[in-house]
Amino acid sequence: MDKDDPIGHLRKKWDGFSDTYEKFDAGPQAFYFSLVNMLKLGEARNFLEIGCGAGHLLNYAISSKRKESQYVATDLSPEMVAKAETKVRKQLDLYRSPLTTKEFLEENKVILKACDGEEPVDGYGLFDRVVCNLVLMLTNDPKKMLRSIHKVCT
């Protein structure tokens, strides 16, 4: 591991794993439905997902949230964020939507962003729902990530 840039090392690792990780969506769909229900996304005003990966939760969350609610989905890996965006595009194509991916995301107040979950997500207000599914145990500094999450919660 590069001691001068541990986050860069982790980012590169997840970028390289993104093609394999994307294929993990096949099995745990019931889990995503359960997670969305436990989070009560239909009541959320501002929802943050740290470590969205290839967007496995994305379509479930978008279809469950209120239209006026903001959903910010982040991942350390730009490759994972790109795969999440592609997942949205595939869903739009399935329903023959005339919208571009960008138009759909903007219209539904969904922001996909590559960033470090150990740093506070600034510029989106405070969040009343945060999910960090299967991420905390993989980060370099879990306490720092929890402090970061705490700073952006209502």
Side-chain angles (χ1 to χ4, degrees):
M1 174 157 64
D2 184 351
K3 292 181 183 188
D4 293 333
D5 187 14
I7 298 298
H9 171 77
L10 201 57
R11 182 179 294 115
K12 186 176 181 181
K13 177 181 172 180
W14 282 104
D15 278 350
F17 187 60
S18 64
D19 286 333
T20 302
Y21 185 80
E22 182 179 27
K23 295 174 184 146
F24 290 165
D25 192 26
Q29 294 179 7
F31 171 75
Y32 301 121
F33 281 118
S34 297
L35 187 58
V36 163
N37 286 329
M38 286 186 285
L39 288 166
K40 297 182 181 181
L41 289 185
E43 300 171 16
R45 290 184 321 274
N46 209 3
F47 171 51
L48 172 63
E49 181 180 5
I50 298 173
C52 69
H56 297 324
L57 182 62
L58 193 62
N59 288 323
Y60 300 100
I62 291 170
S63 65
S64 299
K65 75 175 202 63
R66 295 180 304 172
K67 184 88 168 175
E68 67 274 9
S69 298
Q70 180 175 250
Y71 172 25
V72 179
T74 70
D75 199 277
L76 178 64
S77 164
E79 289 296 320
M80 291 287 195
V81 172
K83 294 200 180 300
E85 190 170 313
T86 298
K87 189 168 290 236
V88 171
R89 179 71 257 156
K90 286 179 182 176
Q91 198 73 9
L92 292 173
D93 290 345
L94 180 67
Y95 293 104
R96 295 184 174 94
S97 173
L99 296 174
T100 66
T101 305
K102 182 180 178 184
E103 289 169 338
F104 175 83
L105 293 173
E106 287 175 1
E107 184 176 300
N108 286 280
K109 296 186 176 185
V110 177
I111 295 139
L112 299 174
K113 180 180 174 90
C115 66
D116 180 0
E118 291 181 13
E119 299 297 326
V121 179
D122 293 325
Y124 303 103
L126 295 175
F127 297 92
D128 59 345
R129 303 289 192 285
V130 177
V131 67
C132 183
N133 184 41
L134 299 173
V135 174
L136 209 52
M137 76 281 205
L138 299 173
T139 189
N140 287 323
D141 190 342
K143 288 180 182 177
K144 184 177 180 184
M145 183 176 280
L146 288 171
R147 285 191 299 272
S148 170
I149 292 168
H150 186 261
K151 286 179 183 176
V152 297
C153 286
T154 57

